[in-house]
Amino acid sequence: QKEVEQDPGPLSVPEGAIVSLNCTYSNSAFQYFMWYRQYSRKGPELLMYTYSSGNKEDGRFTAQVDKSSKYISLFIRDSQPSDSATYLCAMTITDKLIFGTGTRLQVFP
Amino acid sequence: GAGVSQSPSNKVTEKGKDVELRCDPISGHTALYWYRQSLGQGLEFLIYFQGNSAPDKSGLPSDRFSAERTGGSVSTLTIQRTQQEDSAVYLCASGAGPFSYNEQFFGPGTRLTVL
């Protein structure tokens, strides 16, 4: 079993929809929780990171962490075609990031 | 430079050959990470440098893989006697310091194909 599980998708939604992306994890020692966005043939770019349980909002994006359930989510409001990308969750332990496999999101006009 | 750069962007090699992949981190960044991204596997941590030393090499999959960093800047990942299962995108990231989780910036990657 992988330490971080993420549904690979693809997830296809119409423009304007609310998107929910999720990851589960098994290691309670994970400290920071991040979401990265990766466009095709590009490196991942950090969208958001959180430390504690709860919600963190940044524009159209909300990151949610539930440490008791070992579950994290990323919500995208008013999704746009430009949001079409692969979204990777990542978690830190000591000095490295452990990534999920990524969820491919397609937002169609 | 403005961002992390990697070269070559694409590399096709024959099984059994050695390859070298290069990473130029953001100027002044002391932390440098190598990851491997295979289809459907997500990003797999390979090695972490702080300055020129590598306190964590735990992700290197075999002794055919090695990496070095010189002058606290450029890093080279070397794969000896390449195998087909080494085919993947190799990504480099740099950070401002140790445990710079929220400040890791990734390069565009090197796509390695082993025939």
Side-chain angles (χ1 to χ4, degrees):
Chain A
Q1 183 189 3
K2 293 182 179 179
E3 286 187 284
V4 180
E5 298 280 356
Q6 185 175 10
D7 188 330
L11 181 61
S12 186
V13 302
E15 183 175 356
I18 296 175
V19 176
S20 172
L21 303 164
N22 311 294
C23 288
T24 58
Y25 62 96
S26 56
N27 192 338
S28 57
F30 286 135
Q31 297 169 306
Y32 284 82
F33 304 88
M34 354 284 269
W35 285 96
Y36 284 81
R37 177 175 62 196
Q38 185 176 24
Y39 291 113
S40 181
R41 297 194 175 259
K42 301 286 187 183
E45 56 177 328
L46 180 65
L47 279 176
M48 298 185 72
Y49 73 96
T50 58
Y51 177 75
S52 56
S53 285
N55 293 355
K56 182 176 181 180
E57 192 172 314
D58 184 1
R60 295 186 295 111
F61 298 90
T62 299
Q64 189 175 80
V65 174
D66 182 346
K67 288 190 174 183
S68 62
S69 301
K70 297 191 178 68
Y71 188 91
I72 70 170
S73 299
L74 178 71
F75 299 96
I76 307 174
R77 289 182 297 282
D78 187 25
S79 55
Q80 303 295 310
S82 58
D83 295 328
S84 298
T86 296
Y87 290 80
L88 301 118
C89 63
M91 305 173 192
T92 66
I93 186 164
T94 58
D95 55 13
K96 54 180 173 267
L97 289 170
I98 307 296
F99 283 85
T101 53
T103 299
R104 192 156 62 92
L105 171 67
Q106 294 173 320
V107 181
F108 55 90
Chain B
V4 179
S5 60
Q6 292 186 245
S7 60
S9 54
N10 284 283
K11 176 71 177 179
V12 180
T13 191
E14 293 180 347
K15 178 181 172 181
K17 301 279 190 180
D18 296 353
V19 295
E20 282 190 355
L21 312 178
R22 177 187 168 106
C23 172
D24 280 272
I26 291 172
S27 178
H29 277 190
T30 60
L32 187 146
Y33 308 80
W34 282 99
Y35 296 87
R36 178 169 71 174
Q37 187 172 29
S38 305
L39 195 62
Q41 296 297 313
L43 271 78
E44 174 190 11
F45 168 82
L46 297 178
I47 187 169
Y48 156 61
F49 286 93
Q50 180 56 38
N52 289 338
S53 60
D56 191 344
K57 308 177 183 180
S58 62
L60 294 177
S62 75
D63 59 9
R64 296 186 297 105
F65 288 72
S66 63
E68 65 175 12
R69 189 177 184 195
T70 56
S73 181
V74 172
S75 176
T76 303
L77 177 69
T78 301
I79 309 173
Q80 295 178 309
R81 304 180 304 281
T82 50
Q83 304 294 310
Q84 288 181 332
E85 62 262 27
D86 299 334
S87 296
V89 177
Y90 289 82
L91 290 156
C92 172
S94 72
F99 308 106
S100 53
Y101 312 120
N102 58 324
E103 296 175 323
Q104 271 191 43
F105 297 92
F106 281 83
T110 294
R111 185 173 298 271
L112 175 66
T113 303
V114 181
L115 301 176

